Amino acid sequence: MAGITLTTIYIPDFIPSPEKFYMILFNLIFLGLLTLLLYAGYSTEDIGTVSTAMFWFILLIFARYFDFFWELLPRSLFFMLGGFVLLVISIVLERKRRELKVQFSGREEVDVKVVVDRYGNAVIRSLLIGGEEVDI
């Protein structure tokens, strides 16, 4: 009994307090649910589900960024770095969203080779459909 009392009173530093433990646990659960939501969106090819999961994922990253770096950086550097990070993340996610939108719609991207003849008329030489060149 005395050993249990001593271990509860003198908790080692490497064991997080119950508040920190629950914070870490709930963040991991939330991240897991977002991963499952993102996977469900990919497997059902539903752009709305994927967009929702990405939105909440960005909010989670943003919140953890504020929690971790608020005390470590001067205020101006904090906001400059945070703005740059969010700008890069938004560019990457927007490109991925556009790719997914085209992929989920079932359309194929078509690339056309057009040549102008000596009379100024545009002539289509070939089409690139789904990575394969089709001559006309």
Side-chain angles (χ1 to χ4, degrees), residues 45-95:
E45 296 184 354
D46 183 16
I47 193 69
T49 305
V50 172
S51 297
T52 302
M54 286 185 178
F55 170 77
W56 286 106
F57 183 70
I58 289 171
L59 284 182
L60 178 67
I61 289 174
F62 192 67
R64 293 314 124 230
Y65 179 80
F66 269 95
D67 287 346
F68 186 74
F69 284 114
W70 186 258
E71 297 293 327
L72 298 178
L73 296 173
R75 300 291 190 249
S76 60
L77 181 62
F78 170 78
F79 285 109
M80 286 188 298
L81 184 63
F84 178 72
V85 167
L86 289 175
L87 183 66
V88 169
I89 289 173
S90 68
I91 289 170
V92 169
L93 289 178
E94 180 61 24
R95 286 184 183 165

Side-chain angles (χ1 to χ4, degrees), residues 13-123:
D13 290 338
F14 62 88
I15 297 175
S17 64
E19 294 86 16
K20 287 185 180 179
F21 174 75
Y22 286 124
M23 181 181 70
I24 292 169
L25 178 68
F26 289 133
N27 277 300
L28 289 175
I29 290 171
F30 188 60
L31 184 62
L33 289 173
L34 288 178
T35 304
L36 288 175
L37 186 64
L38 194 60
Y39 177 75
Y42 275 117
S43 60
T44 60
E45 296 184 354
D46 183 16
I47 193 69
T49 305
V50 172
S51 297
T52 302
M54 286 185 178
F55 170 77
W56 286 106
F57 183 70
I58 289 171
L59 284 182
L60 178 67
I61 289 174
F62 192 67
R64 293 314 124 230
Y65 179 80
F66 269 95
D67 287 346
F68 186 74
F69 284 114
W70 186 258
E71 297 293 327
L72 298 178
L73 296 173
R75 300 291 190 249
S76 60
L77 181 62
F78 170 78
F79 285 109
M80 286 188 298
L81 184 63
F84 178 72
V85 167
L86 289 175
L87 183 66
V88 169
I89 289 173
S90 68
I91 289 170
V92 169
L93 289 178
E94 180 61 24
R95 286 184 183 165
K96 186 65 178 172
R97 187 191 67 81
R98 286 182 185 172
E99 291 174 9
L100 289 173
K101 189 174 182 180
V102 170
Q103 178 184 351
F104 290 170
S105 67
R107 295 179 291 184
E108 294 186 43
E109 293 187 34
V110 177
D111 191 17
V112 180
K113 287 185 182 179
V114 178
V115 178
V116 178
D117 64 6
R118 63 182 175 179
Y119 302 111
N121 298 323
V123 178

